[in-house]
Amino acid sequence: MDSSSEHNLRHVRSIAAIHSTSTCSDDELVFPDPNFSSNALVSSTTDYLDMYRRSIQDPSGFWSDVASRFHWERKWAAGGAVFSENLDVSKGGVSIEWFKGGLTNICYNALDRNIQSGLGDKIAIYWEGNELGQDATFTYAQLLPKVCQLANYLRDVGVTKGDAVVIYLPMLTELPLAMLACARIGAVHSVVFAGFSAESLAQRIMDCKPKAIITCNAVRRGSKLINLKDIVDAALSESANNGVSPAVCLTYENHSAMKREATNWKQGRDVWWQDSVPNYPTSCAVEWVDAEDPLFLLYTSGSTGKPKGVLHTTGGYMIYTATTFKYAFDYKPTDIYWCTADCGWITGHSYVTYGPLLNGATIVVFEGAPNYPDSGRCWDIVDKYKVTIFYTAPTLVRSLMRDGDEYVKRHSRKSLRVLGSVGEPINPSAWRWFFNVVGDARCPISDTWWQTETGGFMITPLPGAWPQKPGSATFPFFGVLPVIVDEKGVEIEGEGSGYLCIKNSWPGAFRTLYGDHERYETTYFKPFTGYYFSGDGCRRDKDGYHWLTGRVDDVINVSGHRIGTAEVESALVSHPQCAEAAVVGIEHEIKGQGIYAFVTLVEGVPYSEELRKSLILKVRKQIGAFAAPDKIHWAPGLPKTRSGKIMRRILRKIASRQLDELGDTSTLADPSVVDQLIDLYDS
């Protein structure tokens, strides 16, 4: 075992000796209830250390044992390597492989395997609609034939193994169903969040060139009607102009939002789901795929402005999501699990669809908004379905916290036993409210750190195993070897802050960026040779607990959604009256980070409120409402070096009103720009 793993283990060993005697945040400890710990899958630091030590010292043996609990039509080569890796660009191309040569299918493992083990009559999905009283229930035995019918339809229209299918759906049951149907036949699904604009959707269609698009005509989210089919039509028109025309647009009639008669239609391309899919057989032969065959593409924002197509493969991702779900939430077969994330993001892939269903869990899928018809909706759903595990984002926690305790306390919530947080660091005050008010000070919080690229949890508490510190992701999951490095790539031991990297591969790691392996290596493996670079900053305290400090690159984390600054800047400068733009992230009480845009107008164009609104609308149209700037700051000029580089550090300080921390501005081509920006702060 190398020094990094010994260092991690040394810190975790010290937990048992920690006592809650200090009042500073780093020393504030919340201990698990002894009764909870005694029944937990990992009930102590000793149990964790035994498993973690083996996962680092013998990753092949550890993950082989885990993988053997799943169905493999053919095991990976006997006596062969369970995994191979090269994370060091100086030694050749970056490559990660797990269980290569093994044949499996994630849909079969999520559905058929569970039915064969006697779980056919167990509820797989509770679906809760936008409006009160709208709901549906699907057992595993009911879900499988519906998945097979869609899989057969896709095969019939020409979708084969390796073909891409774009899914642009709201949180209907048909969304996870469509993902599973693609996986069953070896197709590669690319789910696009149904809040992205037509231009963003078109960009993704043009990149992956799908054989088919799956959407619905419309959705109501809260009181708002969103015409998804019109967005898809506009996206397909744009992609066609660029030579990409999927043959089929399968459209589900979401009759509670819009009748089919009101839906725009293109004969020969558009097909109603309800008129076609139910006519297909309810059984469908499984396409057995290699563990390293692609499972899905998911586009995430990058600092260059072009979204990155993160590619995950089948076998390692399957094993990793199932295992992280099981241990990080202390999953029991009697649990009712609800993750509030949308399947358009990685959390919805790993911890709405695949991780839970691979464990035979019962999940809640919610179509609506968490504050509709009021801010008690979440707790109404918790009580209705007797939810035991509730996994959500700090953004929602802060929003509900602001709305007051009464919405929470008028509901029982007695069924809850584990809470979870995802998407961004949760600040200690929100953590405490979540723990004390929502969880009645009895539910441990799995404050998870991970990314689209990692596939599953990387640093996370294990409920019952050790005391928590509000706001800390605590310790690494099995098989994960995190290190903190300085700007020169030197590992920092003990207490310290720096760049968070991972020193080894893990089964759930993404394998490449679709069609751009060079960008994959440049973005994630070249900044610090020999490591996966997360792009996040991290602080490790004296007890070894990890505290995520946010992005260190040009990506803003808004409500758990990663948005590239270049992407927003590109949208702004496409406005005919915008000459230049620079975007930075700022702290936001609800969203975690907000988008702050400095805008330089074309010469002679006056500032106006109408123009400000027009610029924001431009971003909403090109990217989506979630990327709309929170503030437009008029900028006669931007602080640049003599070589033309924009000094974003200065812009962040101005945006945050940290004017005493501007630092040396003498290197700027025009230092007077800074004073002008400060003067225009309230304009």
Side-chain angles (χ1 to χ4, degrees), residues 82-194:
V82 173
F83 73 100
S84 64
E85 65 178 42
N86 175 43
L87 309 188
D88 190 337
V89 291
S90 69
K91 297 179 180 178
V94 173
S95 175
I96 298 170
E97 294 180 337
W98 283 81
F99 311 112
K100 187 171 177 61
L103 294 182
T104 190
N105 184 283
I106 198 169
C107 174
Y108 183 91
N109 275 284
L111 299 181
D112 307 60
R113 180 178 61 96
N114 284 319
I115 293 170
Q116 291 164 14
S117 67
L119 299 181
D121 293 334
K122 183 177 181 179
I123 292 169
I125 297 175
Y126 285 119
W127 178 76
E128 176 78 5
N130 183 63
E131 303 296 334
L132 293 170
Q134 286 183 335
D135 54 37
T137 301
F138 299 89
T139 65
Y140 276 86
Q142 291 169 332
L143 190 59
L144 177 58
K146 290 182 176 295
V147 168
C148 287
Q149 286 180 317
L150 179 56
N152 283 321
Y153 168 81
L154 291 172
R155 270 184 172 153
D156 193 41
V157 298
V159 177
T160 60
K161 178 184 174 183
D163 288 337
V165 175
V166 165
I167 303 171
Y168 188 73
L169 283 168
M171 287 297 282
L172 304 171
T173 305
E174 284 69 24
L175 176 45
L177 188 155
M179 296 164 66
L180 290 162
C182 290
R184 191 169 191 85
I185 62 173
V188 181
H189 61 71
S190 180
V191 182
V192 179
F193 172 58

Side-chain angles (χ1 to χ4, degrees), residues 382-401:
V382 166
D383 284 355
K384 178 177 179 178
Y385 297 110
K386 301 295 185 284
V387 172
T388 57
I389 304 171
F390 179 67
Y391 189 38
T392 193
T395 301
L396 179 57
V397 173
R398 289 189 293 266
S399 176
L400 297 174
M401 177 180 168

Side-chain angles (χ1 to χ4, degrees), residues 438-565:
V438 175
D440 290 329
R442 57 182 175 77
C443 302
I445 299 175
S446 290
D447 178 9
T448 60
W449 175 78
W450 60 299
Q451 302 173 311
T452 302
E453 294 88 344
T454 70
F457 306 147
M458 300 292 281
I459 302 176
T460 178
L462 298 185
W466 55 70
Q468 295 185 253
K469 296 187 179 187
S472 170
T474 71
F475 296 100
F477 191 73
F478 305 127
V480 176
L481 193 52
V483 295
I484 298 173
V485 302
D486 64 18
E487 291 185 354
K488 295 180 180 179
V490 177
E491 291 185 23
I492 298 170
E493 292 204 4
E495 193 173 358
S497 298
Y499 301 94
L500 179 59
C501 296
I502 309 298
K503 199 170 185 174
N504 60 329
S505 76
W506 61 99
F510 74 132
R511 304 306 198 246
T512 191
L513 292 176
Y514 181 67
D516 200 348
H517 197 70
E518 182 181 357
R519 186 182 182 191
Y520 169 75
E521 294 182 338
T522 300
T523 303
Y524 300 99
F525 298 96
K526 284 188 177 178
F528 300 104
T529 302
Y531 302 94
Y532 165 78
F533 173 48
S534 68
D536 283 335
C538 185
R539 176 173 65 86
R540 185 171 50 229
D541 69 21
K542 60 181 174 45
D543 299 317
Y545 283 67
H546 294 80
W547 303 76
L548 277 298
T549 56
R551 301 296 296 173
V552 297
D553 56 16
D554 292 328
V555 174
I556 304 171
N557 195 325
V558 179
S559 299
H561 304 154
R562 285 168 56 182
I563 301 165
T565 56

Side-chain angles (χ1 to χ4, degrees), residues 153 157 213-217 229 247-253 260 263-280:
Y153 168 81
V157 298
I213 308 287
I214 301 175
T215 189
C216 75
N217 54 349
K229 181 60 164 54
V248 175
C249 178
L250 181 65
T251 307
Y252 185 84
E253 182 190 0
R260 63 172 61 189
T263 306
N264 290 323
W265 207 247
K266 183 175 180 179
Q267 293 297 333
R269 182 197 70 188
D270 299 347
V271 177
W272 286 113
W273 178 311
Q274 287 92 331
D275 290 350
S276 185
V277 173
N279 299 325
Y280 282 81

